[in-house]
């Protein structure tokens, strides 16, 4: 390497390092502010406090929103998983001419901006007279995460030899038994990974939820509302908690993803 | 054709035609094709239809009209906001392409566990809560925010600057930070697709590292990277919350314009028409991206 | 296919009959109409190169693919529309298709568990079958912990434990190395004799087919060409393809004699045209190298002929020695295989060697 090239690479690392810093700065600053107060445009390092975290536990609105988010997430993940399993298994067990059509439709909400999906569902719900509620939010989340779950299920299912299914049928199991005893157990790690990822997506979902939410609200919606009304240190604490929880989920997902890659027979 | 006919005849001689075999199969087929259609395609269609409906005195009359589109194309302010937003998204995508390429390239050159770790670190911001990121960006860029505090503490400015909040620049900065991670992964994958043998061949033919980058790596990875950047542009175009939070009244974007039709203004047909304009733009961008990606694959 | 039963069929009834079975995908005819009877308790091998349609036949018997036309009968009853899981057959797959998330014992027990058999019965049967395939000590292992040969035997055990009427084997030895393959061949043949179940075995390996089978069905390009015992297939091939497919063979061109319509002329001399070989045009004669012997001048028996060939090459093969000789006006090369001692060791290149053979060993084939 010439000196010029070495210099260029070093310069690139400076830019890259700075960019990484910028990417993580928001999260770090928020976490910092949740423990320390600001005084005269400077962080008051002397005043470490967990006060804001304590106040979170008393905020019943916030806890309700958290509860809603978890319920919506679980319902959406379970529904999307069932739909994905049914679709993927159907596509697996025969030459299906409609496969391209179904996959195109499923991936649409993933590719199009969230605002389009949000408006579509909002209009459709109004047309069929469905009031906005947590149910509409859940349906919206199913539509959004379906692409992710379906993709991860098909990737694993495609590596499953057809002879596995044929062997099971050959040994006297019908389609349902084959699915339960042979296919499902081998999809376990893929389902775990996709569920974690899908739950994280649902837990974070904001841009579609905004159009579909009714009286009861999810955590990101609650957060948004709190920020609109004003900045309190309490928000910093809440945001830190949310950050840590999502990071935990992401870490779990990354681990199980790695495991499923390594365990591939 | 003969064989087809004889095959059909043969099938009927064996038993009833296959598609009549079991009503259960028809139900399954209806569900498989019906569920995605009802859940995804039908809402999209109804939203498209809505953009052609007439609204008078806050009531949708049910008549078909092109007035919603006419209103958009004849209104200077909406067109201005639209092109402003396209420009904004383009700048965000360019920043994502530039910085994303640098980071991806640096990670791509690495080996072993550092490579995996840094890649993971660059993807991790993707799972950080979106609202949280906007909030954090506001607390950085805000009038009393971290950036102003930092600049004042280091003596660069004397009073808090209003340059960083409630304008287009603020929206651009916030979006660039929020959407950059979406650019890194596709660019990294584009670099990964370059066969190692090509680099060896170039080196064998006497090219220096810098020349290899300019003559082999960059031309081969650029199309995939641009496709990734176009994906960032698509996301940025549709965002309506970031501009609301950090943009203030000056940072009005097309996404916000659509949103306001469904909120305050309550003119859904007009909002749907605006969203269709966005949809068409997005489809054009995706088409461009897949065209570039396909061209790159064909070499 | 006549309705009347021949004597042999009375003795050994048919388990499976394919009646005019065909398979086509779109306009591609994978299988031309096939009639095939599979007899109870026999080891039938379906042999053919890849793409010959042999696997298609097996998959149609097993129920994995429906026939485009024709019927498949199980002891006289049409099972063409019966789904896989109701057919009393079990398959040993080419890739074994063992369930990776189940132990060996669980894999073997699967068919019984599905049939809701009592736990006690499952336990005894699985243990007995694992004993049969010498895998008792591997019962609690997972398939990924086994060698290729062991996996193969698990697949066999899983297929036989349900006591199916027919066991279908789809090139089960293809993935094994040569040595293991030979021992598995013996094991399979032995197993089949012990459990007296019909085996339908698919392979593209002629030697495997000849050494293992009671009967062989030869397939090529979607056609069932010939069905017969290994001896029939080897010594009485009915087409050029079959004659070439098994071992070394001499194929010689033969034309009808200009003077006598029922006489054929070949580099070996004159032959009478069998009634079965009709029509004009040219024919091929197929005769095995070992059907020749060196003529010692003793008196010819009924139906024996003699000709002279010029020795071109000698190849020592161990127990036998192969001679290459030029015969006839066209100096056609034929191969002759004789016991090593018999050649007398005193032959020299260019010698004229008198050969003797029996006309019964000459097969007249249509030239295709």
């Amino acid at each position: 390497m010439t000196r010029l090239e070495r210099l260029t690479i070093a310069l690139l690392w400076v830019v890259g390092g700075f960019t990484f810093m910028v990417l993580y700065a928001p999260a770090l600053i928020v976490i910092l502010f949740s423990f320390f107060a600001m005084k005269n445009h400077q962080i008051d390092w002397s005043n470490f406090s967990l006060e804001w975290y304590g106040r979170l536990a008393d905020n019943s609105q916030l806890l309700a929103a958290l509860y809603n988010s978890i319920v919506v997430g679980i319902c959406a993940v379970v529904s999307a998983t069932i739909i994905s399993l049914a679709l993927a298994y159907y596509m697996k067990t025969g030459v299906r001419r409609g496969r391209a059509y179904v996959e195109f439709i499923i991936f649409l909400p993933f590719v199009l901006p969230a605002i389009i999906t949000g408006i579509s569902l909002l209009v459709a719900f109004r047309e069929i007279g469905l009031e906005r509620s947590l149910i509409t939010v859940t349906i919206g989340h199913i539509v959004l995460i379906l692409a992710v779950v379906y993709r991860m299920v098909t990737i694993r299912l495609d590596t499953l030899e057809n002879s596995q299914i044929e062997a099971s049928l050959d040994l006297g199991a019908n389609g349902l038994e084959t699915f339960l005893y042979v296919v499902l157990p081998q999809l376990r790690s893929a389902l775990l990974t996709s569920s974690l990822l899908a739950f994280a997506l649902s837990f974070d979902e904001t841009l579609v939820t905004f159009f579909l939410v009714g009286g009861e609200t999810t955590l990101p919606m609650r957060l948004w509302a709190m920020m609109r009304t004003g900045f309190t240190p309490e928000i910093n604490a809440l945001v830190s908690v949310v950050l840590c929880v999502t990071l935990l989920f992401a870490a779990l997902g990354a681990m199980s993803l790695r495991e499923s890659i390594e365990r591939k027979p | 054709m003969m064989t087809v006919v004889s095959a059909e005849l043969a099938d009927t001689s064996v038993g009833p035609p296959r598609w009549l075999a079991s009503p259960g199969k028809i139900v399954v087929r209806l569900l498989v094709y019906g569920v995605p259609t009802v859940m995804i395609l039908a809402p999209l269609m109804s939203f498209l239809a809505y953009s052609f409906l007439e609204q008078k005195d806050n009531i949708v009359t049910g008549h078909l009209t092109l007035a919603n589109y006419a209103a958009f194309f004849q209104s200077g302010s909406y067109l201005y906001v639209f092109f402003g937003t396209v420009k904004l998204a383009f700048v965000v995508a360019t920043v994502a392409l530039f910085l994303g390429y640098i980071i991806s390239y640096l990670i791509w050159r690495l080996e072993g566990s550092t490579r995996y770790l840094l890649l993971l670190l660059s993807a991790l911001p993707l799972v950080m809560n979106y609202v949280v990121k906007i909030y954090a960006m506001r607390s950085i860029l805000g009038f009393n925010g971290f950036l102003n505090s930092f600049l004042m503490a280091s003596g660069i400015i004397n009073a808090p600057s209003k340059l960083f909040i409630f304008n287009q620049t603020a929206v651009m900065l916030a979006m660039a930070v929020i959407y950059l991670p979406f650019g890194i992964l596709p660019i990294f994958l584009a670099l990964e697709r370059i066969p190692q043998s090509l680099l060896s061949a170039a080196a064998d033919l006497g090219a220096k590292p810098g020349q290899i980058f300019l003559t082999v790596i960059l031309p081969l990875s650029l199309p995939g990277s641009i496709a990734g950047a176009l994906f960032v542009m698509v996301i940025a175009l549709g965002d309506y919350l970031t501009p609301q939070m950090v943009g203030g009244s000056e940072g009005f974007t097309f996404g916000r314009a659509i949103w306001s039709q469904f909120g305050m203004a309550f003119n859904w047909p007009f909002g749907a028409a605006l969203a269709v304009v966005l949809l068409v733009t997005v489809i054009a961008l995706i088409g461009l991206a897949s065209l570039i990606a396909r061209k790159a694959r064909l070499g | 296919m006549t309705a009347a039963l021949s004597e042999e069929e009375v003795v050994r009834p048919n388990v499976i009959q394919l009646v005019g079975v065909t398979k086509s995908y779109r306009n591609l005819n994978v299988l031309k109409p096939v009639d095939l009877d599979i007899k109870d308790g026999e080891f039938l091998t379906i042999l053919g190169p890849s793409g010959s349609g042999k696997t298609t036949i097996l998959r149609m018997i097993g129920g994995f693919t429906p026939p485009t036309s024709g019927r498949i009968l199980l002891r006289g009853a049409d099972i063409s529309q019966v789904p896989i899981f109701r057919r009393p057959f079990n398959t040993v797959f080419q890739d074994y298709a063992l369930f990776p998330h189940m132990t060996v014992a669980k894999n073997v027990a699967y068919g019984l568990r599905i049939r809701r058999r009592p736990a006690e019965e499952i336990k005894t049967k699985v243990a007995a079958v694992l004993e049969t395939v010498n895998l008792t000590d591997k019962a609690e292992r997972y398939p990924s912990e086994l060698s290729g040969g062991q996996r193969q035997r698990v697949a066999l055990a899983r297929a036989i434990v349900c006591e199916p009427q027919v066991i279908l084997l789809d090139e089960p030895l293809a993935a094994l190395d040569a040595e293991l393959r030979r021992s598995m061949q013996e094991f399979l043949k032995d197993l089949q004799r012990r459990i007296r179940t019909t085996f339908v075995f698919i392979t593209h390996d002629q030697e495997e087919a000849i050494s293992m089978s009671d009967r062989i069905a030869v397939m090529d390009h979607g056609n069932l060409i010939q069905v017969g015992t290994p001896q029939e297939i080897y010594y009485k091939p009915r087409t050029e393809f079959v004659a070439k497919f098994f071992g070394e063979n001499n194929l010689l061109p033969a034309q009808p004699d200009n003077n006598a319509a029922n006489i054929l002329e070949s580099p070996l001399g004159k032959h009478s045209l069998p009634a079965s070989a009709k029509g004009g045009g040219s024919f091929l004669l197929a005769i095995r190298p070992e059907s020749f012997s060196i003529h010692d001048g003793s008196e010819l028996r009924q139906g024996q002929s003699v000709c002279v060939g010029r020795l071109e090459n000698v190849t020592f093969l161990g127990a036998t020695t192969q001679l290459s000789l030029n015969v006839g006006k066209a100096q056609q090369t034929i191969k002759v295989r004789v016991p090593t001692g018999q050649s007398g060791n005193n032959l020299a290149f260019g010698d004229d060697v008198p050969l003797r053979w029996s006309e019964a060993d000459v097969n007249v084939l249509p030239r295709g």
Side-chain angles (χ1 to χ4, degrees), chain A residues 1-2 5 9 12-17 19-20 22-27 29-30 32-33 38 41-43 83 86-87 90-91 96-99 101-102 104-117 119-124 126-127 132 139 142-143 146 197 200 203-211 220-221 223-224 227-228 231-233 235-236 239-240 242-243 246-247 250-251 254 258, chain B residues 25 28-29 31-33 35-37 39-44 46-47 50 55 60 98-99 102-103 105-107 109-110 116 118 120-140 143-146 149-150 152-153 160 176-177 179-181 184 208-211 231 234-235 238-242 244-245 255 258-259 262 266 268 271-272 275-276 278-279 282-283 286:
Chain A
M1 241 194 278
T2 64
E5 281 158 359
I9 294 292
L12 288 181
W13 271 113
V14 171
V15 176
T19 312
F20 257 109
V22 169
L23 281 182
Y24 277 90
I29 286 170
V30 169
L32 214 60
F33 284 2
M38 288 276 279
H41 299 301
Q42 287 214 311
I43 298 174
I83 297 174
L87 289 181
Y90 179 80
M91 300 303 169
R96 313 295 187 191
R97 266 178 227 152
R99 181 169 180 166
Y101 165 79
V102 168
F104 174 75
I105 300 223
I106 287 180
F107 292 133
L108 271 182
F110 189 71
V111 180
L112 297 178
I115 193 172
I116 304 277
T117 310
I119 293 173
S120 297
L121 289 169
L122 174 65
V123 169
R126 174 143 113 175
E127 287 307 297
R132 281 188 262 186
I139 295 175
I142 294 171
V143 165
L146 199 55
L197 196 66
F203 194 73
D204 261 10
E205 214 311 303
T206 315
L207 289 169
V208 171
T209 312
F210 235 105
F211 286 94
M221 295 296 107
L223 257 173
W224 179 259
M227 286 175 201
R228 300 287 289 171
F231 282 54
T232 66
I235 296 181
N236 287 326
V239 162
S240 305
V242 171
L243 267 179
T246 35
L247 285 187
R258 217 171 155 179
Chain B
K25 274 189 185 159
V28 168
R29 201 168 300 176
L31 280 177
V32 161
Y33 297 113
V35 167
T37 308
M39 283 186 76
I40 301 169
L41 197 61
L44 263 176
S46 64
F47 137 71
Y50 231 85
Q55 168 151 324
V60 179
F98 184 71
L99 293 179
I102 291 177
I103 289 189
Y105 178 69
L106 291 172
I107 296 176
R109 283 167 42 93
L110 291 173
Y116 183 75
L118 279 182
L120 200 70
L121 274 181
S122 62
L124 209 55
L126 284 179
V127 298
M128 286 187 208
N129 189 291
Y130 167 73
V131 177
V132 166
K133 275 188 282 193
I134 308 178
Y135 170 74
M137 282 313 290
R138 177 155 155 177
S139 59
I140 290 176
F143 189 68
N144 293 317
F146 183 79
S149 308
F150 176 76
M152 278 165 64
V177 172
Y179 293 129
L180 174 60
I184 296 177
K208 294 192 204 82
Q211 289 171 314
F231 186 58
V234 165
I235 307 175
D239 191 355
Y240 59 94
L241 287 184
T242 314
Q244 215 167 314
M245 192 66 160
I258 297 173
W259 165 246
F262 287 86
F266 214 75
W268 287 19
V276 170
L278 176 70
L279 182 64
V282 162
I283 289 173
I286 294 172

Side-chain angles (χ1 to χ4, degrees), chain A residues 118-132 210-213, chain B residues 46-61 68-69 257-276:
Chain A
I119 293 173
S120 297
L121 289 169
L122 174 65
V123 169
F125 288 145
R126 174 143 113 175
E127 287 307 297
I128 60 171
L130 192 59
E131 280 293 315
R132 281 188 262 186
F210 235 105
F211 286 94
L212 307 175
V213 77
Chain B
S46 64
F47 137 71
L48 283 179
Y50 231 85
S51 68
F52 295 102
L53 292 181
E54 187 186 48
Q55 168 151 324
K56 264 186 191 157
D57 307 327
N58 285 343
I59 290 167
V60 179
T61 61
N68 299 317
Y69 291 97
I258 297 173
W259 165 246
S260 66
Q261 297 305 320
F262 287 86
M264 289 172 292
F266 214 75
N267 188 346
W268 287 19
F270 183 55
L274 293 183
V276 170

